[in-house]
Amino acid sequence: MNRIAANGELLSSAGRFSNHRVPGLTGVLLTALMTSGAFLASPQAFAQSATGQGATLPPVTVTAPAAQRSANPSSPSRRSGGARTRRTQTARRPETAAEPKPFAQSQDARTGTVGYFANSTAVATKSNTAIVNIPQSLSVITQQLIRDQNYQGLTDVTRYVPSVAVHQGEGNRDELVIRGVDSSANFFVNGFRDDVQYFRDMYNAQSIEVLKGPSALTFGRGAGGGLLNRTLKEADGTRIYEATAQTGSWGDRRVTLDAGQAINENVAARLNVFYEGSDAFRDFNHLERYGINPTVTLKPDDFTKVKLSYEYYHDGRTADRGNPSQGLPGSVTRFNPTTPFAPNGNLQTFFGSPSLNTAQATVQTGMAIVEHDFQNGLTARNGTIAADYQKFYQSVYPVNGALAGAVNPADTAFNLGAYQHTTNRDNVFNQTDFTYKGWTGPVFHTVGFGTEFGRQTGVDIRNTGVFPNGTNTIVQNPFAPTYFGPVTFVHHPSAVNADGVTTPDSNSKYGLNIESGYLRDTIELSRFLQVIAGARFDRFEMSALDMNTNINRNRTDNLVSPQAALMVKPIESMSIYTAYSISYLPASGDQFSALTDGTLILQPQKFENTEVGMKWNINPKLLFSTAIYNLNRTNQPIADGNNPGFFFPSGSTLTRGFEASLVGYVTDQWQSSLGYAYTDAKITSATSATVVPGNRVQLVPYNQFAWWNKYQFTPMWAAALGIIYFGDSFASSDDTVRLPSFVRFDAGVYATIDANWRAQLTVENIFNRGYWASADGNNNISPGQGRTVRVQASYRF
């Protein structure tokens, strides 16, 4: 008989894995599950977890663990999956040498994660909640799926997530378009804002959560279309010592180390380290990145945890802003769109400078989180993050001239421009979150309330590149576009014409204070009906010193973001919900680096979302989710042509869509991650002279489909096949440059050689299909990566 281990691998009941190693691991996990208050309070949840393993388990007697007995036996119980029970006093479980008390429940056990399936998350509500009970579309990308796909970038894994498109990010950062809303700032780590523009790595990621729709109640300003959160690996007491080595296409070389264990019953430690160096699919591109992340968890008593973490991370690479578009005779319009330009069909050609194009980020982060269970229905969490971001990038790229960088119709010339940008920032945030679970008469409440305080300071300094011809533009041959000459970077404090500069370079020093409070109540009126209501207040106080003019400006926004939902549960494993939510984005924008006289008087942008959805655990390890939604974005600024620097707050977009996903174990041998989205994102009120009603929003296709499948043929061998379909879209919202639809196939082969050794071979873009993957405007268009092979070996010791 075969079964699935906690790490998602298929194991046989015959052979060395099941006879020796696996029962011990299974015993530890079962002990952790049985000693969880949530599972004790929900027999259905425990039964689902056990049956999901596909194994015949020995009979067990579930009694209250001695370490977690309540001082008040009549207090309301904690529950999982919505089960309603009251705690009763039971006998203490005897501890024996054969059943050592675990340091803590592992991250996987706490969230019910097995393979590609995750049963719960604390990201959406700040309290560990079954996904089927969260009235919002979200996708959890587990550690095993991240490992099995083995993509190089954080945003690459989102190509299998419905309603998400990858933005180029000017070749220097992660950026996503979620439900038609583009953002470089809606990134979070362990629930803390991680909003600086840089490329992140996944070496220390336990999971990646993508929430869709306005999420201000939990995360504050912005997050209008959705957000991405990285949950990091923590010192949870699980013993792991694993080293990996990788090589592959384009000279890739990568090594990682993940080492951790419980030191004693009160202390656990973990260390994640990695290094990667590689060239790239594009000519002259390369990257080097490395990081170290030690974590410690202290458990002074059975109801308190203190988690400490420090990370040093560096990413350096070539900043590549892609290819220009093809100019056409006459003019390019929304009714006569053009396509990207590739010289002689070569997608590897670099339209930049090998020596000058660079993106450098160094990030140091410290986190301290204290969690306490008061054993009376109330739990508390206080977390602080302090992060220092040193970010610099410099680009030579297609821009300027009459065609704004496009190749002329005769294919004889295009223009290059250049700039450099420093965007250093320091973040400090403190969050205090309380969760209370209790009864008022026959009604059960889960009340979440708390505060967030933050301070963000930084600089935004841009210098324009001047070429040897004395201007900010140089003409290049599109069939030999790589620039090898010098560039002088000069700061322009005002608009001048001597070298072609018409807009002053930014030179801002800013500070931002955030004070927030929120309240959410999940009210279970009956076994079948829940009402969720809440609101968040954010005070957003910004000051910015324009160092070009020495003018200091200040702005304060007071924002109230409500959220409400009604959830019906025909059966315990299914929910049908309708939800309404609002988020706001202050007029200073995603990156809030400067204020002008025009932005001082603008109203915040508003994101209003209505959603109807359904979630169903078809089996204990297979989740089907679907939703239809209407997302209206208003108060987008439109430049006032008669008053430079000022705006009309009348721009708007409307996104209507349908999405569906199926993630988890179809059978004990077959894991699947399937997603589809239909997204109709349209401009409903002009946001510029060329972005007019009826246009489609940048980079958003009508149809997306992605399906990743992994099949375990034997205890040793498994294989995976993935397919991505991405419908046609436009490089910008003026709809003048069309990006054709594409289909891409990826694959992997996996060998679990023995209890220590594991190997895998992954291939991205098996058939070497040429396609256009993303853009940052009409003349900064990135081709998709060609066939890329990666070979990895892992050793557990």
Side-chain angles (χ1 to χ4, degrees):
M1 179 179 296
N2 294 332
R3 64 184 184 276
I4 301 166
N7 65 358
E9 303 292 346
L10 182 72
L11 301 175
S12 170
S13 59
R16 61 182 299 183
F17 302 107
S18 57
N19 289 341
H20 299 285
R21 188 177 182 85
V22 175
L25 176 58
T26 304
V28 171
L29 291 176
L30 287 175
T31 301
L33 290 174
M34 289 187 290
T35 56
S36 162
F39 274 76
L40 284 169
S42 176
Q44 293 111 324
F46 182 80
Q48 285 186 358
S49 177
T51 56
Q53 300 297 320
T56 302
L57 300 176
V60 295
T61 301
V62 181
T63 56
Q68 297 192 6
R69 63 189 184 278
S70 173
N72 180 10
S74 62
S75 65
S77 67
R78 289 177 185 78
R79 300 172 304 158
S80 174
R84 296 173 45 151
T85 61
R86 294 182 185 266
R87 180 177 297 167
T88 58
Q89 192 169 17
T90 54
R92 299 177 62 176
R93 181 189 181 116
E95 295 182 10
T96 66
E99 291 186 338
K101 176 178 159 185
F103 175 82
Q105 199 177 26
S106 71
Q107 287 179 279
D108 282 345
R110 189 165 67 235
T111 58
T113 298
V114 179
Y116 300 168
F117 173 83
N119 183 66
S120 66
T121 178
V123 174
T125 64
K126 298 202 172 187
S127 174
N128 194 27
T129 306
I131 294 174
V132 75
N133 290 337
I134 298 173
Q136 181 178 5
S137 294
L138 66 93
S139 299
V140 178
I141 306 167
T142 67
Q143 184 181 357
Q144 183 174 334
L145 183 54
I146 294 169
R147 182 186 66 182
D148 285 352
Q149 292 181 332
N150 200 23
Y151 296 129
Q152 196 171 49
L154 172 68
T155 56
D156 289 335
V157 301
T158 65
R159 290 197 179 274
Y160 282 86
V161 176
S163 301
V164 179
V166 178
H167 189 285
Q168 183 204 82
E170 298 183 80
N172 69 72
R173 61 182 181 260
D174 294 324
E175 190 163 344
L176 293 173
V177 181
I178 305 177
R179 287 189 173 177
V181 180
D182 173 24
S183 176
S184 64
N186 287 331
F187 291 88
F188 293 78
V189 56
N190 285 354
F192 295 106
R193 191 170 291 274
D194 179 36
D195 54 5
V196 172
Q197 299 175 327
Y198 71 106
F199 288 111
R200 298 152 182 86
D201 195 88
M202 296 171 284
Y203 78 101
N204 58 348
Q206 173 71 14
S207 60
I208 295 168
E209 297 84 16
V210 180
L211 278 69
K212 285 162 273 186
S215 300
L217 180 59
T218 303
F219 292 93
R221 70 181 190 269
L227 61 93
L228 183 149
N229 178 76
R230 287 177 297 144
T231 297
L232 301 186
K233 300 173 184 176
E234 66 183 45
D236 59 9
T238 303
R239 187 188 187 281
I240 180 168
Y241 287 88
E242 182 175 38
T244 68
Q246 175 181 298
T247 187
S249 300
W250 329 116
D252 184 44
R253 53 210 180 273
R254 180 182 173 99
V255 292
T256 69
L257 173 67
D258 185 358
Q261 69 174 62
I263 297 174
N264 56 45
E265 64 178 12
N266 301 115
V267 181
R270 191 166 186 174
L271 174 68
N272 278 274
V273 182
F274 92 106
Y275 171 86
E276 182 172 18
S278 179
D279 293 327
F281 166 69
R282 296 271 282 179
D283 292 342
F284 304 108
N285 275 223
H286 60 86
L287 73 84
E288 182 179 48
R289 54 186 173 181
Y290 45 87
I292 179 169
N293 179 204
T295 64
V296 175
T297 299
L298 310 175
K299 197 172 68 168
D301 58 51
D302 290 330
F303 312 114
T304 307
K305 287 182 185 175
V306 180
K307 302 175 184 179
L308 305 175
S309 171
Y310 168 78
E311 180 179 15
Y312 181 93
Y313 171 75
H314 176 80
D315 183 282
R317 65 180 70 202
T318 302
D320 187 350
R321 293 189 60 162
N323 291 29
S325 62
Q326 172 69 66
L328 299 178
S331 62
V332 175
T333 69
R334 57 185 290 212
F335 304 106
N336 183 36
T338 185
T339 56
F341 176 85
N344 299 316
N346 185 357
L347 298 180
Q348 295 179 270
T349 304
F350 180 46
F351 287 73
S353 168
S355 61
L356 297 175
N357 283 50
T358 186
Q360 304 285 331
T362 301
V363 181
Q364 296 190 72
T365 305
M367 274 187 273
I369 298 171
V370 181
E371 299 173 346
H372 184 72
D373 185 345
F374 289 94
Q375 288 294 288
N376 59 0
L378 180 67
T379 59
R381 174 188 182 273
N382 180 272
T384 300
I385 183 172
D388 175 73
Y389 303 86
Q390 300 294 313
K391 173 66 189 295
F392 172 82
Y393 60 99
Q394 182 172 276
S395 287
V396 176
Y397 66 111
V399 72
N400 296 339
L403 298 178
V407 176
N408 65 357
D411 290 349
T412 58
F414 78 103
N415 293 316
L416 287 174
Y419 72 106
Q420 60 181 205
H421 210 166
T422 299
T423 57
N424 300 338
R425 183 177 298 166
D426 290 315
N427 285 355
V428 179
F429 288 97
N430 177 266
Q431 299 174 349
T432 302
D433 303 296
F434 294 93
T435 302
Y436 178 75
K437 299 186 178 185
W439 301 80
T440 57
V443 178
F444 189 82
H445 296 261
T446 301
V447 182
F449 57 99
T451 60
E452 180 174 30
F453 299 95
R455 173 69 175 169
Q456 300 182 264
T457 58
V459 297
D460 183 291
I461 304 169
R462 179 180 170 121
N463 298 321
T464 297
V466 178
F467 293 92
N469 60 12
T471 74
N472 68 335
T473 303
I474 194 166
V475 178
Q476 287 288 106
N477 179 349
F479 293 92
T482 306
Y483 180 73
F484 295 95
V487 176
T488 301
F489 293 94
V490 179
H491 184 76
H492 296 82
S494 60
V496 295
N497 296 312
D499 51 13
V501 178
T502 58
T503 303
D505 288 325
S506 61
N507 190 8
S508 178
K509 183 177 181 180
Y510 60 86
L512 176 67
N513 292 322
I514 304 104
E515 300 100 29
S516 307
Y518 74 93
L519 172 67
R520 175 197 289 111
D521 190 5
T522 300
I523 308 166
E524 298 186 29
L525 299 175
S526 73
R527 155 72 177 73
F528 307 100
L529 184 63
Q530 295 182 17
V531 175
I532 299 98
R536 180 184 177 111
F537 172 78
D538 287 285
R539 183 174 177 86
F540 187 89
E541 300 174 301
M542 181 178 175
S543 65
L545 173 64
D546 184 342
M547 292 186 286
N548 287 332
T549 61
N550 206 33
I551 296 175
N552 190 71
R553 298 178 176 89
N554 299 274
R555 177 186 175 115
T556 299
D557 290 282
N558 295 309
L559 310 172
V560 177
S561 305
Q563 185 181 83
L566 177 68
M567 180 182 296
V568 177
K569 301 201 67 180
I571 57 176
E572 187 60 34
S573 60
M574 177 186 292
S575 64
I576 301 169
Y577 67 88
T578 180
Y580 175 81
S581 57
I582 291 177
S583 288
Y584 292 95
L585 178 65
S588 45
D590 261 349
Q591 292 298 329
F592 60 88
S593 55
L595 287 171
T596 67
D597 292 338
T599 57
L600 279 177
I601 60 176
L602 275 177
Q603 293 300 307
Q605 293 186 47
K606 181 180 180 181
F607 303 85
E608 186 175 13
N609 187 76
T610 304
E611 180 172 323
V612 177
M614 188 266 281
K615 297 178 183 179
W616 180 24
N617 277 323
I618 299 174
N619 67 47
K621 293 292 179 288
L622 183 65
L623 176 66
F624 173 73
S625 304
T626 187
I628 56 174
Y629 62 89
N630 187 99
L631 175 59
N632 193 22
R633 178 181 188 177
T634 54
N635 289 344
Q636 291 179 260
I638 305 170
D640 181 352
N642 297 318
N643 194 2
F646 287 80
F647 306 87
F648 300 112
S650 58
S652 63
T653 61
L654 177 63
T655 305
R656 293 173 171 168
F658 163 80
E659 59 189 44
S661 65
L662 182 70
V663 180
Y665 284 89
V666 181
T667 70
D668 284 353
Q669 293 78 27
W670 177 16
Q671 294 190 75
S672 176
S673 177
L674 169 67
Y676 169 76
Y678 173 82
T679 310
D680 183 8
K682 293 288 181 62
I683 306 298
T684 52
S685 179
T687 58
S688 75
T690 56
V691 179
V692 297
N695 281 15
R696 289 166 58 187
V697 172
Q698 173 193 33
L699 296 175
V700 181
Y702 282 122
N703 292 284
Q704 288 174 263
F705 173 83
W707 195 4
W708 178 270
N709 292 275
K710 180 183 179 183
Y711 195 85
Q712 193 81 40
F713 294 95
T714 70
M716 175 179 287
W717 291 103
L721 179 65
I723 179 174
I724 295 171
Y725 169 77
F726 197 85
D728 63 8
S729 62
F730 290 95
S732 76
S733 295
D734 66 10
D735 290 6
T736 61
V737 180
R738 179 177 173 271
L739 307 183
S741 63
F742 66 86
V743 177
R744 193 186 86 190
F745 289 89
D746 306 328
V749 178
Y750 313 94
T752 304
I753 300 167
D754 58 27
N756 303 107
W757 285 100
R758 183 183 182 276
Q760 69 178 50
L761 167 71
T762 55
V763 184
E764 180 181 334
N765 195 1
I766 300 171
F767 300 110
N768 202 30
R769 172 73 182 272
Y771 66 97
W772 298 97
S774 187
D776 181 60
N778 290 335
N779 293 304
N780 295 169
I781 307 167
S782 295
Q785 188 154 285
R787 183 189 299 116
T788 303
V789 179
R790 298 187 179 97
V791 179
Q792 184 185 98
S794 301
Y795 181 72
R796 287 202 171 200
F797 51 95

